[in-house]
Amino acid sequence: MTSPLILSTWSFSLPIIEAEYPKLSTSGSALDVVEQCAIAAESDESIDSVGYGGLPDREGRCTFDAAVMLSSPKSGSVCGIERHRHPVSIARLVMERTEHKMLVGSLADDFADSHGLPSESILSERAKAKWERWKQSNQDATPPAPFDHGHGELFGSHDTIGTIAIDAGGTMAGSCSTSGMAWKVPGRVGDSPIIGHGLYVDPQRGAATGTGHGELISGICGSFLVVELMGQGASPEEAIHRTLSRLAQCWPLKKEHQVAFIAATPEGNYAAGSLRPGFKYCVCVDKSARILDPDIVLHA
Ligand code: GLY
């Protein structure tokens, strides 16, 4: 029997995984848990990069992207959601109720309506006020600089909640959810809803999810690469290190670029790594939840 495990990006996920972990020790499924973790972050208005509370594009319009995954044939994702607060649940419906992988934009919102999910405003007053201040003071579309949220953690505006869970039956699942880059060009989609970029789960090889600048992650199919390297025998730490090194070789990195991955093997070995300092992740195993520094920081 496998020891249940939850790994999640950023310190804001600590209370979320603490609340969800007990379900894994009973009969809870990894898929339900990763969906609920994303829903909790999507509901928390204080998180300005996921769900309600997320910052809008440069025209003041908020859009959400999300994905869930169990295996190569079992994944679902959505992007450009504008009327539903829980894109992760729409992604799960895509996986479970269609033969497709991804739905986009207003038609994905219509699909959510057809499954009874409530249509709501997704731009919070606080996010709108931040956009109005940005609009008055800064017309160059620069995303907000990363800022220190305490614990030495720096996060900016593309800080996906990515969660990996293994349940007592050994099933592994992953989810991710984001409002994307603040002040993005309308229509921009990052790594999160693209299978293999922001999230990849392979029951034989392991799971990985990414956070940070989606363009960099997408450029190397980051989460797929981490999982593929684990499948070839690399530890989670080594797989993340090699993936971050590849990314750093491919991109003319700017000082504000940040990318991080968390990864786990089917046996429950795990690690995290980031391009630069400032990333934290959370783990819950054996009923104890902790905020951890990444095992690798490529440019420390
Ligand atoms: N990693 C989230 C995004 O870039 O949209």
Side-chain angles (χ1 to χ4, degrees):
M1 184 158 150
T2 317
S3 248
L5 169 79
I6 311 182
L7 278 187
S8 200
T9 52
W10 304 105
S11 63
F12 60 63
S13 62
L14 185 71
I16 298 175
I17 67 170
E18 257 176 333
E20 288 299 316
Y21 190 82
K23 297 179 189 168
L24 286 184
S25 325
T26 50
S27 56
S29 81
L31 181 61
D32 287 342
V33 162
V34 296
E35 181 187 10
Q36 288 305 318
C37 287
I39 285 174
E42 288 165 350
S43 306
D44 183 343
E45 197 186 335
S46 73
I47 303 172
D48 69 7
S49 52
V50 179
Y52 189 65
L55 298 175
D57 67 20
R58 65 175 65 174
E59 303 303 331
R61 217 159 72 177
C62 209
T63 52
F64 297 160
D65 307 326
V68 294
M69 188 162 190
L70 283 167
S71 65
S72 175
K74 290 188 182 160
S75 70
S77 67
V78 287
C79 47
I81 292 297
E82 284 194 80
R83 295 191 288 102
H84 294 85
R85 291 194 186 173
H86 298 299
V88 72
S89 298
I90 314 175
R92 183 171 175 174
L93 284 167
V94 172
M95 178 176 86
E96 292 183 335
R97 307 284 180 87
T98 78
E99 294 181 352
H100 309 308
K101 289 283 181 195
M102 180 186 270
L103 296 182
V104 303
S106 62
L107 296 174
D109 277 306
D110 293 349
F111 170 79
D113 292 341
S114 73
H115 287 275
L117 300 188
S119 179
E120 294 172 277
S121 153
I122 66 165
L123 179 63
S124 74
E125 284 305 315
R126 205 187 309 182
K128 187 173 168 200
K130 282 188 194 169
W131 172 76
E132 280 164 353
R133 280 200 298 279
W134 167 79
K135 189 82 182 155
Q136 279 162 13
S137 67
N138 182 343
Q139 294 293 331
D140 69 2
T142 307
F147 52 99
D148 193 339
H149 285 245
H151 321 287
E153 184 176 53
L154 288 168
F155 54 97
S157 59
H158 1 199
D159 301 320
T160 325
I161 181 162
T163 307
I164 295 166
I166 303 178
D167 61 32
T171 298
M172 193 173 226
S175 71
C176 58
S177 180
T178 185
S179 52
M181 187 184 284
W183 327 144
K184 63 197 169 191
V185 172
R188 179 262 186 195
V189 174
D191 59 304
S192 303
I194 304 176
I195 293 304
H197 294 200
L199 177 68
Y200 200 71
V201 180
D202 178 329
Q204 264 72 55
R205 294 173 176 81
T209 182
T211 180
H213 286 84
E215 284 72 7
L216 278 70
I217 297 172
S218 282
I220 56 159
C221 302
S223 295
F224 177 79
L225 184 55
V226 172
V227 173
E228 194 62 12
L229 290 168
M230 291 193 295
Q232 291 167 13
S235 66
E237 185 173 339
E238 190 188 340
I240 292 172
H241 189 242
R242 286 171 61 184
T243 300
L244 289 170
S245 302
R246 169 109 171 239
L247 186 153
Q249 281 159 15
C250 295
W251 272 83
L253 291 180
K254 297 182 182 166
K255 67 178 183 333
E256 66 272 21
H257 280 150
Q258 173 65 305
V259 164
F261 293 100
I262 58 173
T265 65
E267 297 76 33
N269 299 316
Y270 63 87
S274 60
L275 209 47
R276 302 186 190 286
F279 174 64
K280 302 272 179 180
Y281 73 113
C282 293
V283 59
C284 196
V285 65
D286 296 331
K287 298 184 183 154
S288 141
R290 288 168 294 153
I291 299 174
L292 296 175
D293 286 314
D295 306 276
I296 308 135
V297 178
L298 197 70
H299 295 305

